[in-house]
Amino acid sequence: DTGVSQDPRHKITKRGQNVTFRCDPISEHNRLYWYRQTLGQGPEFLTYFQNEAQLEKSRLLSDRFSAERPKGSFSTLEIQRTEQGDSAMYLCASSLIGGSSGRALGNEQFFGPGTRLTVL
Amino acid sequence: KNEVEQSPQNLTAQEGEFITINCSYSVGISALHWLQQHPGGGIVSLFMLSSGKKKHGRLIATINIQEKHSSLHITASHPRDSAVYICAVRSWGTGSNYKLTFGKGTLLTVNP
């Protein structure tokens, strides 16, 4: 399977615990995005990486959230001291941005299956 | 008001019916995506378009840039089409980040 994968698919935790999610993008993709989707809503942008560099963070990403992409391949999203309001589906997407002018090659984002977090 | 509005929020159809889902947006965009999300969360990209019309099998997507409106049509609907359909836009002014702004989705249920 050469698509975007996420691990775990489901996570149940108690309030106050730390959780970490992993996303493995399509191997040649240099862009990686994290989105959060709460029940009945569309996904909302959290942050994105170009290779290993984190280039933008949404104001939704409080200081309890941290994301890394240390080698420009897989990425992790950690939530510290989880709160019930963190319960959501966390989606990862990847795309390929390239060319000498930096123009997107199609710019299609490919999504992973998501990690559903439930904070009790 | 959300930047991306979808209608209807919920849609129930009988197998074989022609389905239309609408998306209106309030910002200038460089691309619009139609996405499908099945129970369990996985999202699949159906179309990405910036003008005109695209067709893939029984799915047709159209966009009118001047009216800031897009439609997703499903011909000869089938129960397996039951899913949430999400419209997402890449707006001008996002620079090179290409992040998407999503609508809330339309829950489609096709009954046999």
Side-chain angles (χ1 to χ4, degrees), chain B residues 26-85:
Chain B
S26 57
V27 295
I29 68 167
S30 54
L32 182 144
H33 299 250
W34 280 102
L35 309 163
Q36 181 191 57
Q37 186 173 35
H38 280 283
I43 288 180
V44 174
S45 178
L46 299 175
F47 295 103
M48 182 179 69
L49 64 167
S50 55
S51 64
K53 175 179 174 179
K54 286 190 175 181
K55 185 175 188 295
H56 184 252
R58 294 181 295 107
L59 302 178
I60 303 167
T62 64
I63 188 169
N64 185 318
I65 296 294
Q66 287 73 30
E67 294 185 3
K68 294 192 168 89
H69 182 269
S70 175
S71 293
L72 176 68
H73 305 286
I74 305 175
T75 62
S77 59
H78 190 275
R80 65 175 176 267
D81 297 326
S82 298
V84 175
Y85 292 84

Short mmCIF file of all heavy atoms in Angstrom, two decimals, chain B residues 26-85:
data_model
loop_
_atom_site.label_atom_id
_atom_site.label_comp_id
_atom_site.label_asym_id
_atom_site.label_seq_id
_atom_site.Cartn_x
_atom_site.Cartn_y
_atom_site.Cartn_z
N SER B 26 -16.83 32.21 -0.38
CA SER B 26 -16.88 33.67 -0.32
C SER B 26 -15.53 34.33 -0.61
O SER B 26 -15.44 35.55 -0.62
CB SER B 26 -17.36 34.12 1.07
OG SER B 26 -16.52 33.60 2.07
N VAL B 27 -14.52 33.54 -0.88
CA VAL B 27 -13.19 34.09 -1.13
C VAL B 27 -12.74 33.75 -2.53
O VAL B 27 -13.28 32.84 -3.17
CB VAL B 27 -12.17 33.54 -0.10
CG1 VAL B 27 -12.52 34.00 1.31
CG2 VAL B 27 -12.11 32.02 -0.16
N GLY B 28 -11.76 34.49 -3.02
CA GLY B 28 -11.17 34.12 -4.30
C GLY B 28 -10.36 32.85 -4.13
O GLY B 28 -9.67 32.68 -3.12
N ILE B 29 -10.50 31.95 -5.07
CA ILE B 29 -9.82 30.67 -4.91
C ILE B 29 -8.93 30.37 -6.12
O ILE B 29 -9.13 30.90 -7.21
CB ILE B 29 -10.80 29.50 -4.71
CG1 ILE B 29 -11.60 29.22 -5.98
CG2 ILE B 29 -11.71 29.78 -3.52
CD1 ILE B 29 -12.36 27.91 -5.95
N SER B 30 -7.97 29.49 -5.88
CA SER B 30 -7.15 29.00 -6.99
C SER B 30 -7.50 27.57 -7.34
O SER B 30 -7.14 27.09 -8.42
CB SER B 30 -5.67 29.11 -6.64
OG SER B 30 -5.41 28.46 -5.43
N ALA B 31 -8.18 26.88 -6.45
CA ALA B 31 -8.61 25.51 -6.74
C ALA B 31 -9.71 25.10 -5.78
O ALA B 31 -9.79 25.61 -4.65
CB ALA B 31 -7.44 24.52 -6.63
N LEU B 32 -10.56 24.19 -6.23
CA LEU B 32 -11.63 23.66 -5.39
C LEU B 32 -11.58 22.14 -5.47
O LEU B 32 -11.35 21.57 -6.55
CB LEU B 32 -12.99 24.17 -5.87
CG LEU B 32 -14.21 23.72 -5.06
CD1 LEU B 32 -15.25 24.85 -4.98
CD2 LEU B 32 -14.84 22.47 -5.62
N HIS B 33 -11.74 21.52 -4.33
CA HIS B 33 -11.69 20.07 -4.24
C HIS B 33 -13.04 19.53 -3.80
O HIS B 33 -13.72 20.13 -2.96
CB HIS B 33 -10.66 19.62 -3.20
CG HIS B 33 -9.26 20.04 -3.48
ND1 HIS B 33 -8.27 19.16 -3.85
CD2 HIS B 33 -8.67 21.26 -3.44
CE1 HIS B 33 -7.13 19.81 -4.01
NE2 HIS B 33 -7.34 21.09 -3.77
N TRP B 34 -13.41 18.40 -4.36
CA TRP B 34 -14.51 17.61 -3.83
C TRP B 34 -13.91 16.33 -3.25
O TRP B 34 -13.13 15.63 -3.91
CB TRP B 34 -15.53 17.28 -4.91
CG TRP B 34 -16.48 18.40 -5.20
CD1 TRP B 34 -16.45 19.26 -6.26
CD2 TRP B 34 -17.60 18.80 -4.39
NE1 TRP B 34 -17.48 20.17 -6.16
CE2 TRP B 34 -18.21 19.91 -5.03
CE3 TRP B 34 -18.16 18.34 -3.20
CZ2 TRP B 34 -19.34 20.55 -4.52
CZ3 TRP B 34 -19.28 18.97 -2.69
CH2 TRP B 34 -19.86 20.06 -3.35
N LEU B 35 -14.30 16.03 -2.02
CA LEU B 35 -13.75 14.91 -1.29
C LEU B 35 -14.89 14.02 -0.81
O LEU B 35 -16.02 14.49 -0.59
CB LEU B 35 -12.95 15.40 -0.08
CG LEU B 35 -11.89 16.47 -0.36
CD1 LEU B 35 -11.47 17.15 0.94
CD2 LEU B 35 -10.69 15.87 -1.05
N GLN B 36 -14.59 12.74 -0.64
CA GLN B 36 -15.57 11.78 -0.14
C GLN B 36 -15.03 11.17 1.15
O GLN B 36 -13.87 10.77 1.21
CB GLN B 36 -15.80 10.69 -1.18
CG GLN B 36 -16.84 9.64 -0.78
CD GLN B 36 -16.82 8.47 -1.74
OE1 GLN B 36 -15.78 7.83 -1.93
NE2 GLN B 36 -17.95 8.17 -2.34
N GLN B 37 -15.89 11.12 2.15
CA GLN B 37 -15.48 10.56 3.44
C GLN B 37 -16.50 9.51 3.87
O GLN B 37 -17.66 9.81 4.08
CB GLN B 37 -15.36 11.64 4.51
CG GLN B 37 -14.81 11.16 5.83
CD GLN B 37 -14.55 12.29 6.81
OE1 GLN B 37 -15.27 13.28 6.84
NE2 GLN B 37 -13.51 12.15 7.61
N HIS B 38 -16.01 8.27 4.02
CA HIS B 38 -16.87 7.20 4.46
C HIS B 38 -16.81 7.09 5.98
O HIS B 38 -15.87 7.60 6.61
CB HIS B 38 -16.44 5.88 3.82
CG HIS B 38 -16.93 5.72 2.42
ND1 HIS B 38 -18.23 5.38 2.12
CD2 HIS B 38 -16.31 5.89 1.22
CE1 HIS B 38 -18.40 5.32 0.81
NE2 HIS B 38 -17.25 5.62 0.24
N PRO B 39 -17.81 6.42 6.59
CA PRO B 39 -17.76 6.18 8.03
C PRO B 39 -16.42 5.55 8.40
O PRO B 39 -15.93 4.68 7.70
CB PRO B 39 -18.92 5.21 8.26
CG PRO B 39 -19.86 5.46 7.14
CD PRO B 39 -19.01 5.84 5.97
N GLY B 40 -15.84 6.02 9.49
CA GLY B 40 -14.49 5.55 9.82
C GLY B 40 -13.45 6.60 9.52
O GLY B 40 -12.34 6.52 10.03
N GLY B 41 -13.79 7.57 8.68
CA GLY B 41 -12.96 8.76 8.58
C GLY B 41 -12.13 8.96 7.35
O GLY B 41 -11.83 10.08 7.00
N GLY B 42 -11.73 7.90 6.64
CA GLY B 42 -10.82 8.08 5.52
C GLY B 42 -11.38 9.00 4.45
O GLY B 42 -12.55 8.92 4.09
N ILE B 43 -10.56 9.91 3.96
CA ILE B 43 -10.99 10.86 2.94
C ILE B 43 -10.33 10.52 1.62
O ILE B 43 -9.13 10.26 1.55
CB ILE B 43 -10.61 12.30 3.37
CG1 ILE B 43 -11.52 12.76 4.52
CG2 ILE B 43 -10.71 13.26 2.19
CD1 ILE B 43 -11.24 14.17 5.00
N VAL B 44 -11.15 10.54 0.58
CA VAL B 44 -10.67 10.28 -0.77
C VAL B 44 -10.93 11.51 -1.62
O VAL B 44 -12.02 12.08 -1.58
CB VAL B 44 -11.38 9.06 -1.39
CG1 VAL B 44 -10.98 8.88 -2.85
CG2 VAL B 44 -11.06 7.80 -0.60
N SER B 45 -9.94 11.93 -2.36
CA SER B 45 -10.12 13.07 -3.25
C SER B 45 -10.84 12.62 -4.51
O SER B 45 -10.41 11.68 -5.17
CB SER B 45 -8.76 13.67 -3.60
OG SER B 45 -8.91 14.75 -4.50
N LEU B 46 -11.95 13.29 -4.83
CA LEU B 46 -12.71 12.95 -6.03
C LEU B 46 -12.29 13.83 -7.21
O LEU B 46 -12.06 13.34 -8.31
CB LEU B 46 -14.20 13.13 -5.77
CG LEU B 46 -14.82 12.27 -4.67
CD1 LEU B 46 -16.27 12.66 -4.44
CD2 LEU B 46 -14.69 10.79 -5.01
N PHE B 47 -12.26 15.13 -6.97
CA PHE B 47 -11.95 16.07 -8.04
C PHE B 47 -11.16 17.24 -7.46
O PHE B 47 -11.34 17.62 -6.32
CB PHE B 47 -13.22 16.67 -8.68
CG PHE B 47 -14.08 15.71 -9.41
CD1 PHE B 47 -15.25 15.24 -8.85
CD2 PHE B 47 -13.72 15.28 -10.69
CE1 PHE B 47 -16.06 14.35 -9.53
CE2 PHE B 47 -14.54 14.39 -11.38
CZ PHE B 47 -15.70 13.93 -10.81
N MET B 48 -10.30 17.79 -8.30
CA MET B 48 -9.71 19.10 -8.04
C MET B 48 -9.92 19.91 -9.31
O MET B 48 -9.54 19.46 -10.39
CB MET B 48 -8.24 19.00 -7.71
CG MET B 48 -7.59 20.33 -7.38
SD MET B 48 -5.85 20.16 -6.96
CE MET B 48 -5.15 19.71 -8.55
N LEU B 49 -10.57 21.06 -9.19
CA LEU B 49 -10.82 21.85 -10.40
C LEU B 49 -10.71 23.33 -10.12
O LEU B 49 -10.92 23.78 -8.99
CB LEU B 49 -12.17 21.50 -11.02
CG LEU B 49 -13.49 21.75 -10.31
CD1 LEU B 49 -14.65 21.61 -11.29
CD2 LEU B 49 -13.71 20.84 -9.14
N SER B 50 -10.35 24.06 -11.15
CA SER B 50 -10.25 25.51 -11.04
C SER B 50 -11.13 26.21 -12.07
O SER B 50 -11.31 27.42 -12.01
CB SER B 50 -8.80 25.97 -11.20
OG SER B 50 -8.28 25.49 -12.42
N SER B 51 -11.67 25.45 -13.00
CA SER B 51 -12.60 26.02 -13.97
C SER B 51 -13.35 24.90 -14.65
O SER B 51 -12.89 23.74 -14.67
CB SER B 51 -11.84 26.85 -15.02
OG SER B 51 -11.00 26.02 -15.77
N GLY B 52 -14.51 25.24 -15.22
CA GLY B 52 -15.22 24.32 -16.09
C GLY B 52 -15.83 23.13 -15.39
O GLY B 52 -16.53 23.24 -14.39
N LYS B 53 -15.54 21.97 -15.93
CA LYS B 53 -16.25 20.76 -15.57
C LYS B 53 -15.32 19.58 -15.67
O LYS B 53 -14.45 19.52 -16.55
CB LYS B 53 -17.42 20.60 -16.55
CG LYS B 53 -18.25 19.36 -16.45
CD LYS B 53 -19.36 19.43 -17.52
CE LYS B 53 -20.16 18.17 -17.62
NZ LYS B 53 -21.23 18.27 -18.63
N LYS B 54 -15.49 18.61 -14.74
CA LYS B 54 -14.74 17.36 -14.82
C LYS B 54 -15.71 16.21 -14.59
O LYS B 54 -16.68 16.33 -13.84
CB LYS B 54 -13.61 17.33 -13.78
CG LYS B 54 -12.44 18.22 -14.12
CD LYS B 54 -11.26 17.95 -13.20
CE LYS B 54 -10.05 18.76 -13.62
NZ LYS B 54 -8.88 18.50 -12.74
N LYS B 55 -15.40 15.10 -15.23
CA LYS B 55 -16.26 13.92 -15.12
C LYS B 55 -15.41 12.70 -14.85
O LYS B 55 -14.33 12.52 -15.44
CB LYS B 55 -17.06 13.73 -16.43
CG LYS B 55 -18.07 12.60 -16.41
CD LYS B 55 -18.88 12.59 -17.70
CE LYS B 55 -20.04 11.61 -17.66
NZ LYS B 55 -19.62 10.21 -17.57
N HIS B 56 -15.89 11.88 -13.93
CA HIS B 56 -15.22 10.61 -13.65
C HIS B 56 -16.28 9.58 -13.34
O HIS B 56 -16.89 9.61 -12.27
CB HIS B 56 -14.22 10.76 -12.49
CG HIS B 56 -13.44 9.52 -12.24
ND1 HIS B 56 -13.65 8.71 -11.15
CD2 HIS B 56 -12.43 8.95 -12.94
CE1 HIS B 56 -12.81 7.69 -11.21
NE2 HIS B 56 -12.06 7.81 -12.28
N GLY B 57 -16.50 8.69 -14.29
CA GLY B 57 -17.55 7.70 -14.10
C GLY B 57 -18.92 8.36 -13.97
O GLY B 57 -19.32 9.14 -14.82
N ARG B 58 -19.59 8.07 -12.85
CA ARG B 58 -20.92 8.64 -12.63
C ARG B 58 -20.86 10.00 -11.91
O ARG B 58 -21.90 10.57 -11.59
CB ARG B 58 -21.74 7.67 -11.80
CG ARG B 58 -22.06 6.35 -12.52
CD ARG B 58 -22.89 5.42 -11.66
NE ARG B 58 -22.16 4.98 -10.48
CZ ARG B 58 -22.42 5.41 -9.24
NH1 ARG B 58 -23.39 6.29 -9.03
NH2 ARG B 58 -21.72 4.95 -8.22
N LEU B 59 -19.69 10.47 -11.64
CA LEU B 59 -19.51 11.73 -10.92
C LEU B 59 -19.15 12.85 -11.88
O LEU B 59 -18.32 12.67 -12.77
CB LEU B 59 -18.41 11.60 -9.86
CG LEU B 59 -18.60 10.52 -8.80
CD1 LEU B 59 -17.40 10.50 -7.87
CD2 LEU B 59 -19.87 10.75 -8.01
N ILE B 60 -19.78 14.00 -11.66
CA ILE B 60 -19.49 15.19 -12.46
C ILE B 60 -19.34 16.36 -11.50
O ILE B 60 -20.16 16.54 -10.60
CB ILE B 60 -20.64 15.50 -13.45
CG1 ILE B 60 -20.91 14.31 -14.36
CG2 ILE B 60 -20.31 16.75 -14.28
CD1 ILE B 60 -22.22 14.43 -15.13
N ALA B 61 -18.30 17.15 -11.69
CA ALA B 61 -18.10 18.35 -10.87
C ALA B 61 -18.01 19.55 -11.80
O ALA B 61 -17.35 19.50 -12.83
CB ALA B 61 -16.84 18.23 -10.03
N THR B 62 -18.70 20.61 -11.41
CA THR B 62 -18.66 21.85 -12.18
C THR B 62 -18.31 23.00 -11.25
O THR B 62 -18.53 22.93 -10.04
CB THR B 62 -20.03 22.14 -12.83
OG1 THR B 62 -21.00 22.35 -11.80
CG2 THR B 62 -20.47 20.99 -13.72
N ILE B 63 -17.75 24.04 -11.83
CA ILE B 63 -17.43 25.22 -11.04
C ILE B 63 -17.69 26.47 -11.87
O ILE B 63 -17.41 26.48 -13.08
CB ILE B 63 -15.98 25.18 -10.52
CG1 ILE B 63 -15.72 26.33 -9.54
CG2 ILE B 63 -14.98 25.19 -11.67
CD1 ILE B 63 -14.41 26.20 -8.78
N ASN B 64 -18.25 27.47 -11.22
CA ASN B 64 -18.47 28.78 -11.83
C ASN B 64 -17.70 29.80 -11.00
O ASN B 64 -18.14 30.16 -9.90
CB ASN B 64 -19.96 29.11 -11.88
CG ASN B 64 -20.23 30.42 -12.62
OD1 ASN B 64 -19.54 31.41 -12.46
ND2 ASN B 64 -21.26 30.41 -13.47
N ILE B 65 -16.55 30.20 -11.50
CA ILE B 65 -15.66 31.07 -10.72
C ILE B 65 -16.32 32.43 -10.46
O ILE B 65 -16.20 32.98 -9.36
CB ILE B 65 -14.32 31.25 -11.45
CG1 ILE B 65 -13.58 29.92 -11.54
CG2 ILE B 65 -13.47 32.30 -10.76
CD1 ILE B 65 -13.13 29.37 -10.22
N GLN B 66 -17.01 32.96 -11.47
CA GLN B 66 -17.64 34.28 -11.30
C GLN B 66 -18.69 34.25 -10.20
O GLN B 66 -18.81 35.19 -9.41
CB GLN B 66 -18.27 34.74 -12.61
CG GLN B 66 -17.28 35.17 -13.68
CD GLN B 66 -16.55 33.99 -14.30
OE1 GLN B 66 -17.09 32.88 -14.37
NE2 GLN B 66 -15.33 34.23 -14.73
N GLU B 67 -19.46 33.16 -10.14
CA GLU B 67 -20.51 33.06 -9.13
C GLU B 67 -20.01 32.43 -7.84
O GLU B 67 -20.78 32.30 -6.88
CB GLU B 67 -21.69 32.25 -9.70
CG GLU B 67 -22.38 32.94 -10.86
CD GLU B 67 -23.61 32.18 -11.33
OE1 GLU B 67 -23.95 31.15 -10.70
OE2 GLU B 67 -24.23 32.62 -12.32
N LYS B 68 -18.78 32.02 -7.79
CA LYS B 68 -18.19 31.39 -6.61
C LYS B 68 -19.06 30.20 -6.16
O LYS B 68 -19.48 30.10 -4.99
CB LYS B 68 -18.03 32.39 -5.47
CG LYS B 68 -17.01 33.51 -5.75
CD LYS B 68 -16.69 34.29 -4.49
CE LYS B 68 -15.49 35.19 -4.70
NZ LYS B 68 -15.76 36.48 -5.18
N HIS B 69 -19.27 29.30 -7.07
CA HIS B 69 -20.18 28.19 -6.82
C HIS B 69 -19.70 26.94 -7.56
O HIS B 69 -19.21 27.02 -8.69
CB HIS B 69 -21.59 28.56 -7.29
CG HIS B 69 -22.60 27.50 -7.03
ND1 HIS B 69 -22.89 26.50 -7.96
CD2 HIS B 69 -23.37 27.23 -5.95
CE1 HIS B 69 -23.79 25.69 -7.45
NE2 HIS B 69 -24.12 26.11 -6.24
N SER B 70 -19.85 25.81 -6.89
CA SER B 70 -19.51 24.53 -7.51
C SER B 70 -20.60 23.53 -7.18
O SER B 70 -21.27 23.64 -6.15
CB SER B 70 -18.16 24.02 -7.00
OG SER B 70 -17.88 22.73 -7.50
N SER B 71 -20.80 22.58 -8.07
CA SER B 71 -21.74 21.50 -7.82
C SER B 71 -21.09 20.16 -8.08
O SER B 71 -20.24 20.03 -8.97
CB SER B 71 -22.97 21.63 -8.74
OG SER B 71 -23.73 22.77 -8.42
N LEU B 72 -21.51 19.18 -7.30
CA LEU B 72 -21.11 17.79 -7.51
C LEU B 72 -22.38 17.02 -7.85
O LEU B 72 -23.36 17.08 -7.11
CB LEU B 72 -20.46 17.21 -6.26
CG LEU B 72 -20.09 15.73 -6.33
CD1 LEU B 72 -18.95 15.51 -7.32
CD2 LEU B 72 -19.70 15.19 -4.95
N HIS B 73 -22.36 16.35 -8.97
CA HIS B 73 -23.50 15.57 -9.41
C HIS B 73 -23.13 14.09 -9.40
O HIS B 73 -22.02 13.72 -9.77
CB HIS B 73 -23.92 15.96 -10.84
CG HIS B 73 -24.20 17.42 -11.02
ND1 HIS B 73 -25.33 18.03 -10.55
CD2 HIS B 73 -23.44 18.38 -11.62
CE1 HIS B 73 -25.29 19.32 -10.86
NE2 HIS B 73 -24.17 19.56 -11.50
N ILE B 74 -24.08 13.27 -9.01
CA ILE B 74 -23.94 11.82 -9.09
C ILE B 74 -25.10 11.31 -9.92
O ILE B 74 -26.27 11.51 -9.56
CB ILE B 74 -23.95 11.15 -7.70
CG1 ILE B 74 -22.87 11.77 -6.81
CG2 ILE B 74 -23.74 9.65 -7.84
CD1 ILE B 74 -22.90 11.24 -5.37
N THR B 75 -24.79 10.67 -11.02
CA THR B 75 -25.85 10.08 -11.84
C THR B 75 -26.06 8.64 -11.44
O THR B 75 -25.14 7.96 -10.96
CB THR B 75 -25.48 10.15 -13.33
OG1 THR B 75 -24.28 9.39 -13.54
CG2 THR B 75 -25.22 11.59 -13.77
N ALA B 76 -27.31 8.17 -11.60
CA ALA B 76 -27.65 6.77 -11.30
C ALA B 76 -27.08 6.37 -9.94
O ALA B 76 -26.28 5.43 -9.82
CB ALA B 76 -27.13 5.85 -12.39
N SER B 77 -27.49 7.09 -8.89
CA SER B 77 -26.92 6.87 -7.56
C SER B 77 -27.13 5.44 -7.09
O SER B 77 -28.10 4.74 -7.46
CB SER B 77 -27.53 7.85 -6.57
OG SER B 77 -28.94 7.68 -6.51
N HIS B 78 -26.20 5.02 -6.24
CA HIS B 78 -26.17 3.65 -5.73
C HIS B 78 -25.92 3.69 -4.24
O HIS B 78 -25.27 4.63 -3.75
CB HIS B 78 -25.04 2.88 -6.44
CG HIS B 78 -25.06 1.41 -6.20
ND1 HIS B 78 -24.48 0.84 -5.09
CD2 HIS B 78 -25.59 0.40 -6.92
CE1 HIS B 78 -24.65 -0.46 -5.14
NE2 HIS B 78 -25.32 -0.75 -6.23
N PRO B 79 -26.44 2.71 -3.49
CA PRO B 79 -26.19 2.71 -2.05
C PRO B 79 -24.71 2.85 -1.66
O PRO B 79 -24.39 3.44 -0.63
CB PRO B 79 -26.76 1.37 -1.59
CG PRO B 79 -27.89 1.13 -2.53
CD PRO B 79 -27.42 1.65 -3.85
N ARG B 80 -23.80 2.36 -2.48
CA ARG B 80 -22.39 2.49 -2.14
C ARG B 80 -21.89 3.93 -2.25
O ARG B 80 -20.78 4.24 -1.82
CB ARG B 80 -21.52 1.58 -3.01
CG ARG B 80 -21.52 1.93 -4.47
CD ARG B 80 -20.54 1.05 -5.25
NE ARG B 80 -20.61 1.31 -6.69
CZ ARG B 80 -21.37 0.61 -7.52
NH1 ARG B 80 -22.14 -0.37 -7.05
NH2 ARG B 80 -21.40 0.90 -8.81
N ASP B 81 -22.70 4.81 -2.83
CA ASP B 81 -22.35 6.23 -2.88
C ASP B 81 -22.61 6.92 -1.54
O ASP B 81 -22.23 8.08 -1.34
CB ASP B 81 -23.15 6.97 -3.97
CG ASP B 81 -22.85 6.45 -5.37
OD1 ASP B 81 -21.70 6.06 -5.63
OD2 ASP B 81 -23.78 6.44 -6.20
N SER B 82 -23.27 6.22 -0.63
CA SER B 82 -23.58 6.81 0.68
C SER B 82 -22.28 7.17 1.39
O SER B 82 -21.42 6.31 1.62
CB SER B 82 -24.40 5.82 1.52
OG SER B 82 -25.64 5.54 0.89
N ALA B 83 -22.15 8.43 1.73
CA ALA B 83 -20.92 8.94 2.36
C ALA B 83 -21.14 10.41 2.66
O ALA B 83 -22.19 10.99 2.36
CB ALA B 83 -19.73 8.78 1.41
N VAL B 84 -20.14 11.02 3.27
CA VAL B 84 -20.13 12.48 3.42
C VAL B 84 -19.30 13.06 2.29
O VAL B 84 -18.17 12.60 2.04
CB VAL B 84 -19.53 12.89 4.78
CG1 VAL B 84 -19.41 14.41 4.88
CG2 VAL B 84 -20.40 12.35 5.92
N TYR B 85 -19.84 14.03 1.62
CA TYR B 85 -19.13 14.70 0.52
C TYR B 85 -18.74 16.10 0.98
O TYR B 85 -19.57 16.87 1.46
CB TYR B 85 -20.01 14.75 -0.74
CG TYR B 85 -20.21 13.37 -1.30
CD1 TYR B 85 -21.20 12.52 -0.80
CD2 TYR B 85 -19.36 12.87 -2.28
CE1 TYR B 85 -21.36 11.23 -1.28
CE2 TYR B 85 -19.51 11.58 -2.78
CZ TYR B 85 -20.51 10.77 -2.27
OH TYR B 85 -20.65 9.49 -2.74
#
